[in-house]
Amino acid sequence: MRVVTKTELAAHSKSGDTWIAIHGLVYDVTKFVPEHPGGGQLIEDVAGQDASDEFEDALHSVASREEEMITLKGILEGCEQQVDEYRKAGWDESQGIPDPEALARKTGMSIPPAATGLLVVGAVGAAVAAWLMTRSRK
């Protein structure tokens, strides 16, 4: 699979020519933008850049990860090892967009730093919410 530079990814950031990177893989989502259930603007807002966090924050389904209207273009430069780890864990291109958390549960591989950060932020947020609730009851 070819390596896509960050400069090349950024060049595909307009309506009618929309690429995004998700988990180190670059996808041409141009045909899917008008069909996106949440509206094409959501994709266009992250066009030409890494959209991994935004993709996972939306809790996409397995079917979303296997969307046929998106085309895998290559591996984002600097992410070759990350993608190699997904392959070692059993992922391949035919499965669509990888789910790092599912791969980690299945194989025991470590979760990439971005996903770990989301887990930490979520745990801290829950702790703060619990603290605020106890303070409001006083």
Side-chain angles (χ1 to χ4, degrees):
M1 189 179 322
R2 79 182 191 91
V3 174
V4 176
T5 67
K6 292 176 183 173
T7 302
E8 182 181 5
L9 173 62
H12 297 275
S13 61
K14 49 195 162 295
S15 182
D17 182 20
T18 311
W19 291 12
I20 58 174
I22 302 174
H23 301 309
L25 295 156
V26 177
Y27 296 92
D28 180 343
V29 295
T30 306
K31 293 178 184 175
F32 182 65
V33 169
E35 305 299 323
H36 187 267
Q41 187 64 45
L42 291 174
I43 297 175
E44 289 176 348
D45 287 348
V46 293
Q49 55 190 307
D50 186 324
S52 301
D53 291 341
E54 292 82 357
F55 184 84
E56 294 302 342
D57 286 349
L59 303 173
H60 283 92
S61 66
V62 171
S64 297
R65 293 176 186 280
E66 298 171 350
E67 174 57 52
E68 293 182 8
M69 293 180 76
I70 66 173
T71 304
L72 180 61
K73 301 304 279 187
I75 299 173
L76 184 62
E77 70 178 333
C79 297
E80 297 88 350
Q81 183 176 353
Q82 176 184 359
V83 173
D84 189 46
E85 290 297 319
Y86 296 150
R87 286 188 176 125
K88 287 178 185 174
W91 172 86
D92 67 52
E93 292 83 352
S94 70
Q95 297 170 6
I97 298 169
D99 182 344
E101 288 186 21
L103 290 170
R105 284 190 305 271
K106 181 173 132 186
T107 65
M109 80 175 209
S110 62
I111 298 174
T116 303
L118 288 174
L119 293 174
V120 170
V121 169
V124 170
V128 169
W131 178 77
L132 288 171
M133 287 175 59
T134 60
R135 303 249 324 141
S136 68
R137 291 183 182 155
K138 291 182 180 180

